[in-house]
């Protein structure tokens, strides 16, 4: 008997439909074809042992299994349940040949027959709905994650016996359902950190508010213990809330990467990713022999925080340049390429020098002449060119540390940020690729970032007196445009421009000398 079951393989963040064809004939042998990897080839032993726990077995006949299309590499143990169901029906140990093709089936089998969670069930559920399937059968641990896809049945099972009983006896499996909009609304503002907990540092809070309002990248430079990491962790709490479409897109990436827990369904807050400074370039941008999303994609629609920036491998940092501009990453291999979204805000933190005390008002710097400049040169000019705000973080005074006064809450700051983003949404409504000021290209400056003669004179004076580089010009105008939006002003004024100029510390000739 020839039986077909259906599942999916992952390619980037997309699910590719896979048809498992099983033929049980007279003879001896177990033949698995269709470009499976070692984990799938080993499935025979897991399936046989799992079935024996429930008094079933793989028949001692000639079994031919084809995983189509045969030119796509299949990997992982997620096809165990797909293969087991097909073998059981083909060997007439189980009913269900009429309805099995209505379901996408996925799950990894343990030796006792229980199911282990797998990666990528959300793209699989989306593909099942697209193919107009009745539903998906998958591990109970993944059920809530897949249930955010409406219009199909999500049948979460704990072991293979439940699947056998479902097809043999018609014993129903309770579908997992969630109200996606209610789930989204209930978790929308569930932030762990709040700006109200930060003492002092008003200028840094202001810089992060501007960054959030315009989608700008930020670098924080200051001595150890000045609060750089603490401030960075609170940036997501002032960003505009995720839209439902953004939440679904973000959840899909995390599902493929296997980052979803059993009790999570929809990612409702902007992600915050903070990889260690020893991270490799593949782990950062994604890739591998079979491409997987990297940290920049896991930070999609959220924040990527790179602490100890100058301690990171320079080659690793350079691979960020293209994703920062294009807001996506293309991972190419000899036979195919995949596009993975990577629209994130970059916030970096670093010490100003090897000893960490350059410009520290409390502790003198012990670095030799020229060492500070050499230390900063570990970050290339083209990468700094993509960072709009350079902010010096000074340590708090004793009085500020001992104060009990609370700062402004993140919710109040977020209200101003959302208002500024709404202004930008209206401004760029005819530009589908532009959503915030940070994405404005040079050709659009004359329209959206025009300045009067007073501002031009101020810019010229700043370039001459502060030694600002030419590459800082565009960045200053973008930041000034955002400051004007926060103030509700149509035009950029000299005050807006002055504040933007103050956030270009690393462009000054005097820095590090």
């Amino acid at each position: 008997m020839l039986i077909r079951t259906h599942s999916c393989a992952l390619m980037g963040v997309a699910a590719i439909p896979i048809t498992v064809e099983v033929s049980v004939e007279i003879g001896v042998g177990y033949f698995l074809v269709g470009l499976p990897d070692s984990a799938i080839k080993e499935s025979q032993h897991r399936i046989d042992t799992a079935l024996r726990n429930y008094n079933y077995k793989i028949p001692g006949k000639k079994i031919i299994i084809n995983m189509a299309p045969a030119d796509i590499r299949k990997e992982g143990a997620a096809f165990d349940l797909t293969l087991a169901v097909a073998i059981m029906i083909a060997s007439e140990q189980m009913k269900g040949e009429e309805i099995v093709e209505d379901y996408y089936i996925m799950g990894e089998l343990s030796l006792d027959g229980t199911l282990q969670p797998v990666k990528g069930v959300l793209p699989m559920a989306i593909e099942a709905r697209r193919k107009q399937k009745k539903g998906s059968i998958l591990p109970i641990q993944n059920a809530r994650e897949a249930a955010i896809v409406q219009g199909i049945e999500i049948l979460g099972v704990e072991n293979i016996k439940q699947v056998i009983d479902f097809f043999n006896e018609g014993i129903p499996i309770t579908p997992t359902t969630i109200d996606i909009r209610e789930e989204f609304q209930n978790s929308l503002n569930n932030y762990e950190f709040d700006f109200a907990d930060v003492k002092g540092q008003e200028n840094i809070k202001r810089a992060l508010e501007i960054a959030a309002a315009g989608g700008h990248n930020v670098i924080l430079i200051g001595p150890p213990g000045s609060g750089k990491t603490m401030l960075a962790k609170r940036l997501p709490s002032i960003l505009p809330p995720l839209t439902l479409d953004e939440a679904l897109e973000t959840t899909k990436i995390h599902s493929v990467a296997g980052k979803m827990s059993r009790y999570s369904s929809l990612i409702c807050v902007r992600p915050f990713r903070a990889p260690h400074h020893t991270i490799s370039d593949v782990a950062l941008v994604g890739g591998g022999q079979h491409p997987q999303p990297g940290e920049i994609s896991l930070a999609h629609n959220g924040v990527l925080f790179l602490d100890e920036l100058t301690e990171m491998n320079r080659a690793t940092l350079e691979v960020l340049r293209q994703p920062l501009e294009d807001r996506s990453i293309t991972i190419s291999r000899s036979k195919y390429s995949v596009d993975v979204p990577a629209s994130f805000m970059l916030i970096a933190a670093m010490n100003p020098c090897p000893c960490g005390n350059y410009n520290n008002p409390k502790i003198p710097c012990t670095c030799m002449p020229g060492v500070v400049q050499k230390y900063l040169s570990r970050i290339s000019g083209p990468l700094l060119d993509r960072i709009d705000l350079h902010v010096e973080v000074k340590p708090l005074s004793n009085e500020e540390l001992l104060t009990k006064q609370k700062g402004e809450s993140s919710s109040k700051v977020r209200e101003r940020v959302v208002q500024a983003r709404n202004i930008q949404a209206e401004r760029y409504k005819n530009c589908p690729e532009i959503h915030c000021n940070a994405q404005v290209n040079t050709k659009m400056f004359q329209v959206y970032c025009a300045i009067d003669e007073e501002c031009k004179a101020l810019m010229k004076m700043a370039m001459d007196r502060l030694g600002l580089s030419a590459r800082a010009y565009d960045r200053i105008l973008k930041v000034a445009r955002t400051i004007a939006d926060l103030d509700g002003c149509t035009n950029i004024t000299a005050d807006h421009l002055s504040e933007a100029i103050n956030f270009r510390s690393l462009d000054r000739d005097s820095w590090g000398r």
Side-chain angles (χ1 to χ4, degrees), residues 434-452:
I434 306 297
H435 304 288
C436 57
N437 291 329
Q439 299 172 2
V440 174
N441 56 47
T442 306
K443 292 182 179 179
M444 302 171 70
F445 275 4
Q446 293 183 352
V447 179
Y448 300 115
C449 298
I451 55 176
D452 57 22

Side-chain angles (χ1 to χ4, degrees), residues 346-422:
L346 173 65
I347 179 166
M350 56 175 278
N351 295 330
C353 64
C355 79
N357 292 313
Y358 180 78
N359 272 1
N360 188 342
K362 293 184 176 182
I363 306 173
C365 177
T366 58
C367 298
M368 298 294 289
V371 171
V372 177
Q373 195 64 30
K374 184 179 179 181
Y375 184 75
L376 296 177
S377 67
R378 296 182 187 180
I379 308 170
S380 69
L383 180 60
L384 280 177
D385 185 36
R386 290 161 172 80
I387 300 177
D388 299 342
L389 289 91
H390 306 165
V391 187
E392 290 185 64
V393 184
K394 297 291 180 68
L396 293 177
S397 65
N398 293 335
E399 290 77 12
E400 289 175 315
L401 282 171
L402 295 173
T403 184
K404 294 183 179 180
Q405 184 177 355
K406 287 266 187 180
E408 189 177 24
S409 68
S410 291
S411 59
K412 291 184 179 179
V413 179
R414 186 166 60 248
E415 289 175 5
R416 297 195 295 269
V417 168
V418 170
Q419 191 173 8
R421 285 288 185 106
N422 290 338

Side-chain angles (χ1 to χ4, degrees), residues 127-167:
E127 183 64 22
R129 185 178 64 179
R130 192 181 72 85
K131 290 289 187 178
Q132 298 182 339
K133 297 293 182 182
K134 186 176 181 180
S136 294
I137 301 174
L138 39 76
I140 188 68
Q141 299 94 322
N142 297 121
R144 283 183 58 81
E145 178 185 338
I148 65 176
V149 179
Q150 308 292 301
I152 61 171
E153 291 182 351
I154 301 299
L155 306 181
V157 294
E158 294 184 0
N159 54 60
I160 193 172
K161 184 64 165 61
Q162 287 182 268
V163 182
I164 295 171
D165 291 343
F166 174 71
F167 285 108

Side-chain angles (χ1 to χ4, degrees), residues 182-218:
E182 181 182 353
E183 184 98 359
F184 182 65
Q185 291 299 325
N186 289 342
S187 305
L188 195 57
N189 296 316
N190 187 19
Y191 295 104
E192 182 180 359
F193 303 104
D194 196 286
F195 265 141
D197 303 327
V198 181
K199 297 178 180 180
Q201 304 291 20
E202 298 303 326
N203 62 320
I204 317 302
K205 294 178 186 177
R206 171 64 174 172
L208 294 181
E209 180 182 342
I210 294 168
H216 303 288
N217 302 318
V218 189

Side-chain angles (χ1 to χ4, degrees), residues 208-410:
L208 294 181
E209 180 182 342
I210 294 168
H216 303 288
N217 302 318
V218 189
I219 184 168
L220 304 176
I221 316 107
S226 56
K228 302 186 294 295
T229 302
M230 180 182 64
L231 287 157
K233 286 181 177 179
R234 284 157 175 76
L235 180 58
S237 68
I238 64 170
L239 288 171
L242 284 171
T243 64
L244 187 55
D245 287 341
E246 287 176 333
L248 288 167
E249 188 178 28
T250 304
T251 305
K252 184 178 177 182
I253 296 171
H254 285 248
S255 174
V256 169
K259 302 295 183 182
M260 303 292 292
S261 69
R262 173 174 181 171
Y263 302 103
S264 61
S265 56
L266 188 67
I267 293 177
C268 301
V269 296
R270 295 191 180 272
F272 179 86
R273 304 295 299 181
H276 193 261
H277 63 265
T278 57
I279 189 172
S280 67
D281 51 352
V282 173
L284 185 63
V285 302
Q289 185 177 359
H290 306 291
Q292 289 287 308
E295 289 292 334
I296 64 171
S297 296
L298 293 172
H300 181 62
N301 291 324
V303 176
L304 176 67
F305 176 50
L306 299 182
D307 203 0
E308 304 294 348
L309 189 68
T310 48
E311 301 301 325
M312 295 186 70
N313 185 293
R314 180 159 179 161
T316 301
L317 288 176
E318 293 307 300
V319 299
L320 284 174
R321 286 157 57 175
Q322 182 260 337
L324 282 171
E325 290 291 330
D326 297 345
R327 301 187 180 275
S328 67
I329 180 73
T330 301
I331 304 170
S332 299
R333 295 295 177 264
S334 58
K335 293 184 179 180
Y336 60 90
S337 64
V338 294
D339 293 322
V340 186
S343 180
F344 60 93
M345 276 183 63
L346 173 65
I347 179 166
M350 56 175 278
N351 295 330
C353 64
C355 79
N357 292 313
Y358 180 78
N359 272 1
N360 188 342
K362 293 184 176 182
I363 306 173
C365 177
T366 58
C367 298
M368 298 294 289
V371 171
V372 177
Q373 195 64 30
K374 184 179 179 181
Y375 184 75
L376 296 177
S377 67
R378 296 182 187 180
I379 308 170
S380 69
L383 180 60
L384 280 177
D385 185 36
R386 290 161 172 80
I387 300 177
D388 299 342
L389 289 91
H390 306 165
V391 187
E392 290 185 64
V393 184
K394 297 291 180 68
L396 293 177
S397 65
N398 293 335
E399 290 77 12
E400 289 175 315
L401 282 171
L402 295 173
T403 184
K404 294 183 179 180
Q405 184 177 355
K406 287 266 187 180
E408 189 177 24
S409 68
S410 291

